[in-house]
Amino acid sequence: MGDDVKDGAAAASGREPDHDLGDVFAERRRLLSLAYRMTGTLADAEDVVQETYVRWYRQDEAERAEILNPAGWLTRVASRIALDLLASARRRRERYIGQWLPEPVPADLFDGTAPSSGTSDPLERVTLDDAVSTALLVVLEAMTPAQRVAFVLHDVFAVPFDEIGRVVGRTPAAVRQLAASGRRQVRENRTAAVPRDEHDRTVRAFLRAAQAGDVEQLVRVLAPDVQLRTDANGLVTAARNVVEGPDRVARLVLGVGAKMPELVPTLERTADGLSVVFRTGEVVTGIMTLHVENELVTDVWIVLNPAKLTHWLPLPRTAER
């Protein structure tokens, strides 16, 4: 890394410079949160964080002593690694079998890792309140790597534009435009935040209808333009194309239940609110998250790829009925 990462610029965490290596390691959870938002999977995020610490400890003591702000250094290095990884990830996803979806995470995994903006703008609050939700991460997937990094660093982690410029190799003015275009994409593809109790109530109604095996009852919970996407990467049987329309989505959901009676669904809290977690025995074999608008399900996202389920415990985390 160049000398530009060894200055005293403000860190995203806002703490005073500290050379204690315990504090340096304590940044790991925040870095993992940042990298997950940039990459969409915990495996990629962990690779980013591991490489960041490799680069930190690869330096000798004199080099580390020059770094006046370890948290800021770690943030910039992790962001650069994530930026490089995003370019290669796009190539990997061209070979992905079927739909690619972000990895679902437990509700509390990244609590408190991003600063509060204090904004009263509901559109900005939706960005921050559910900054690891599937809905937002799907929108981030459509951004260019530089746009995504700029948006996450500025709008979620409150990193100044000049700091971000050193990560993406752009001027502060250019970075401001990147973040603005990313914010515009979020605004154009998202609606106002749905209250969590409304979301959860709709998810419960969806699961009740699915368990009852009633197509008409399930269709009533689905929006006219509902879409269903399944991520399995060819490793398990799943629909490879987007399924559209209430009747087709309802029949697919009910068909899965009929063909695989061994699947046991429970309602558990993810970053999206209540989601449906499927187990075969004690092993998590799928997670279904729903996007809700006006008390109707507009999107059904089902992750079946085993590689994206490894962080879920075999026994329920706060299961709900």
Side-chain angles (χ1 to χ4, degrees), residues 108-134:
D108 58 352
L109 185 62
F110 295 130
D111 282 355
T113 55
S116 172
S117 70
T119 180
S120 60
D121 184 338
L123 283 173
E124 292 185 13
R125 282 265 28 115
V126 80
T127 296
L128 295 169
D129 287 345
D130 64 355
V132 291
S133 72
T134 301

Side-chain angles (χ1 to χ4, degrees), residues 206-218 250-251 253-255 257-258:
F206 176 96
L207 184 57
R208 281 196 302 270
Q211 291 180 312
D214 188 329
V215 173
E216 292 184 2
Q217 183 182 350
L218 186 54
R251 292 184 184 281
V253 170
L254 296 181

Side-chain angles (χ1 to χ4, degrees), residues 186-306:
V186 171
R187 288 172 179 262
E188 290 173 352
N189 290 279
R190 301 292 307 286
T191 59
V194 174
R196 190 50 55 90
D197 60 347
E198 177 185 328
H199 173 276
D200 293 352
R201 186 169 58 250
T202 304
V203 172
R204 290 189 179 97
F206 176 96
L207 184 57
R208 281 196 302 270
Q211 291 180 312
D214 188 329
V215 173
E216 292 184 2
Q217 183 182 350
L218 186 54
V219 165
R220 284 196 291 270
V221 186
L222 303 175
D225 57 350
V226 63
Q227 295 186 335
L228 179 148
R229 290 174 170 80
T230 306
D231 178 334
N233 197 23
L235 300 174
V236 297
T237 301
R240 294 188 180 184
N241 299 316
V242 179
V243 178
E244 299 182 281
D247 188 69
R248 293 184 65 200
V249 169
R251 292 184 184 281
L252 186 146
V253 170
L254 296 181
V256 170
K259 292 176 181 177
M260 305 180 71
E262 69 276 11
L263 289 180
V264 178
T266 58
L267 289 175
E268 301 179 34
R269 297 211 168 270
T270 68
D272 295 87
L274 281 185
S275 296
V276 183
V277 177
F278 297 98
R279 288 181 173 78
T280 302
E282 294 189 344
V283 178
V284 173
T285 51
I287 297 178
M288 176 189 294
T289 56
L290 308 176
H291 185 55
V292 173
E293 295 177 17
N294 300 317
E295 299 188 346
L296 295 174
V297 175
T298 62
D299 292 278
V300 181
W301 297 297
I302 307 175
V303 173
L304 300 173
N305 184 348

Side-chain angles (χ1 to χ4, degrees), residues 101 132 157 244 310:
L101 293 172
V132 291
F157 287 88
E244 299 182 281
T310 58

Side-chain angles (χ1 to χ4, degrees), residues 13-19 68-71:
S13 66
R15 297 190 299 123
E16 291 298 318
D18 193 330
H19 292 89
L68 303 180
N69 192 333

